[in-house]
Amino acid sequence: MDLYQELILEHSKRPRRAGLREPFDAEVHHVNPTCGDEVTLRIRLAGDVVEDVSYDSLGCSISIASASILAEQVTGRPLTEALRTTESMRAMLTSKGADPGDEDIVGDGVALAGVAKYPARVKCALLGWMAFTDALNQAGAEIPKESHV
Amino acid sequence: MPSHDTSARDLAPEELAALRADFPILTRTVRNGNPLVYLDSGATSHKPVAVLDAERDFYTRLNSAVHRGAHQLSEEGTEAYEDARARIGRFVGAPAQEIVFTKNATESLNLAAYAFSNAPLGSRLRLGPGDEVLITEMEHHANLVPWQELCRRTGATLRWVPVTDEGRLDLDALPALLTERTKVFAFTHASNVLGTVNPVRRLADAGHAVGATVVLDACQSVPHLPVDVADLGVDLLAFSGHKMLGPMGIGVLWGRSGLLEEMPAFLTGGSMIETVRMEGSTYAAPPQRFEAGVPVAAQAVGLAAAVDYLERIGMDRVTAHEHALTERLLAGLAERSWVRVVGPTDLEDRGGTVAFVVEGVHAHDVGQVLDDSGVAVRVGHHCAWPLHRRFGIAATTRATLAVYTTPDEIDTMLTALDRVPEVFGLAS
């Protein structure tokens, strides 16, 4: 099954940077009401840099892998880069398969490109990224208008 | 009138093959060109050609706004609509005037719940602080959230009967929960997750002993078991059309005549009135009082055709067929040590709804692997989130059977399930 790339299974079994850590500037809790998947996500900002993303994810392999990839891709990055990655993931996941993803921007996120062909699973893959954007908003980070997830 | 006959014959292979030919969708292929193996009838059942034809025939020959107008189409349409009401009523042992058509079972249950807050002050139906509504921990959200909302509107208190580890109602807890404060006792006939069939008569009698109005969610029983409202002894009973081979967009609320008379209007507007003046209005007698707007006539005619279809097979035989399939499915799952069934594993008082977990793999992923082999199941909490929480799980995979399900389909599902440990690298 092309959906379950080795990289996805690897991230879902050993999620990177998992667990909730302190200190944090914002904590959000997002759920996927259709299946009950949940993610609690915290962010810590240091000026314009995402210093830490920590999370507790309860869900399918796709949602856990996606949260793991998120934490790996945005931690230690300037806010503008993190937002570009988020926007790129969103575009790929909602492209119905037309956008294969840019590995230079989303890293391991390209392994989730196959999810776009399964509409019922797109929300699973987006859950962590939506929580991340929400957490940034709650932390009062300045998000340019054109980038929203 | 249907009654339970445990000696009813299962469907023979040639009977089943002939029956399946009535369902065009069963011949289509899905993911990777696989034949469709549809084990999600608990969510919605497929519809035989007879139902589609009946609906089409209404639109082709009789299309009109029924209960309006003096023209011939409206007369004939009204006759077809009311004839459907009578046939559907007979199917559950009820006179036509006790059958209310709604949009779906969710609306039926909301209609029931609103009666207890819309009833005039002083009515025995009207709830207030100090009153209690008793439900169970195994309810579908449709028989849970409307009661939460009723309690919020009225100040009444919601209580619930817990579920045992085996997936049965904890009846030992009932006496403490069901008291003279209980004004409504609402529960499901058959759980849409566990497959448990509850002892309705016993519960209804207990409810009546304290003066409660007893409401039954029969969505998962009417399509699969012989149901007779007099035998069950409840006061209100809700079911949906689309889960019992009928069309989408129609549900039923059955209510005892005296009770329906007492109940206030729910949705208001055209069709449900007696007189309307600018200062105020009076309302029609049941069932019309509860059918605001242009009636769902084509859907009612379609649902009556579904009822005819089920009666031709015989509900005893539908039950016997699904019972045999459930046994096969439970036995197959029991052979797989990495699968845990959530709900009764014996066949006593149990229907063809089987939810399970694969240890270490989320239900969404299990469902995806099954889908890859053309097997359609439901994954998630199946609109019974508190029940899943009670079992400490986020989601289950659920297979649900119907009269058209075959033993081969059960085997195909079990074989497809064996791919799960392979894909996710579990030691099996």
Side-chain angles (χ1 to χ4, degrees), chain B residues 159-359:
Chain B
R159 301 201 180 281
W160 50 90
V161 182
V163 170
T164 66
D165 291 343
E166 291 72 41
R168 305 275 181 190
L169 288 181
D170 182 1
L171 296 178
D172 293 341
L174 197 60
L177 291 163
L178 193 60
T179 68
E180 71 288 347
R181 290 187 300 278
T182 311
K183 296 297 184 279
V184 180
F185 185 16
F187 53 91
T188 190
H189 192 171
S191 163
N192 74 310
V193 177
L194 307 166
T196 311
V197 175
N198 288 319
V200 177
R201 183 79 213 199
R202 182 176 160 191
L203 296 172
D205 289 349
H208 288 149
V210 298
T213 300
V214 178
V215 183
L216 189 70
D217 173 359
C219 282
Q220 299 292 345
S221 57
V222 170
H224 308 289
L225 307 168
V227 165
D228 182 275
V229 293
D231 288 349
L232 293 175
V234 299
D235 301 307
L236 293 164
L237 176 146
F239 59 97
S240 56
H242 71 97
K243 292 190 202 293
M244 53 184 288
L245 317 184
M248 292 188 172
I250 185 164
V252 172
L253 178 69
W254 166 81
R256 285 185 191 285
S257 281
L259 178 57
L260 286 180
E261 292 288 344
E262 269 184 277
M263 284 166 56
F266 171 48
L267 299 175
T268 55
S271 285
M272 52 74 69
I273 53 93
E274 182 184 52
T275 60
V276 177
R277 295 176 199 283
M278 290 312 294
E279 296 75 21
S281 304
T282 58
Y283 303 126
Q288 277 75 29
R289 183 188 299 164
F290 305 109
E291 296 180 359
V294 171
V296 283
Q299 292 83 343
V301 167
L303 180 54
V307 159
D308 290 350
Y309 189 91
L310 287 168
E311 280 179 336
R312 270 198 302 276
I313 301 165
M315 287 310 290
D316 287 328
R317 301 199 64 207
V318 170
T319 307
H321 174 64
E322 295 180 10
H323 189 82
L325 293 174
T326 306
E327 188 170 16
R328 192 181 189 98
L329 177 53
L330 286 172
L333 292 175
E335 284 170 12
R336 289 157 173 82
S337 60
W338 36 276
V339 170
R340 179 165 57 91
V341 170
V342 180
T345 48
D346 59 306
L347 286 156
E348 189 75 14
D349 293 326
R350 184 196 211 300
T353 293
V354 180
F356 61 88
V357 293
V358 173
E359 306 292 356

Side-chain angles (χ1 to χ4, degrees), chain B residues 4 21 53 82 126 167 244 246 275 333 382 407:
Chain B
H4 193 58
D53 283 351
E82 292 304 327
R126 175 81 173 231
M244 53 184 288
T275 60
L333 292 175
H382 324 303

Side-chain angles (χ1 to χ4, degrees), chain B residues 54 58 61-68 73-89 96-97 99-103 107 249-253 271-272 287-305:
Chain B
F58 181 89
R61 291 192 311 113
L62 307 173
N63 187 48
S64 54
V66 307
H67 281 303
R68 288 164 172 74
L73 286 190
S74 181
E75 276 175 20
E76 292 180 10
T78 302
E79 199 175 308
Y81 180 59
E82 292 304 327
D83 175 60
R85 191 194 305 278
R87 281 148 71 197
I88 293 161
Q97 68 271 20
I99 297 293
V100 177
F101 288 128
T102 60
K103 177 178 74 194
E107 185 188 313
I250 185 164
V252 172
L253 178 69
S271 285
M272 52 74 69
Q288 277 75 29
R289 183 188 299 164
F290 305 109
E291 296 180 359
V294 171
V296 283
Q299 292 83 343
V301 167
L303 180 54

Side-chain angles (χ1 to χ4, degrees), chain A residues 19-81:
Chain A
L20 294 170
R21 288 181 292 275
E22 303 207 16
F24 59 93
D25 297 310
E27 177 183 291
V28 296
H29 181 70
H30 277 224
V31 300
N32 183 350
T34 57
C35 61
D37 288 353
E38 304 183 38
V39 64
T40 304
L41 183 139
R42 290 176 178 176
I43 58 161
R44 171 72 175 170
L45 300 174
D48 287 340
V49 173
V50 180
E51 192 178 88
D52 191 25
V53 172
S54 67
Y55 61 95
D56 181 22
S57 190
L58 179 70
C60 65
S61 62
I62 301 294
S63 71
I64 291 174
S66 195
S68 169
I69 290 166
L70 162 80
E72 195 173 66
Q73 288 302 309
V74 304
T75 305
R77 297 295 171 87
L79 208 47
T80 47
E81 263 186 52

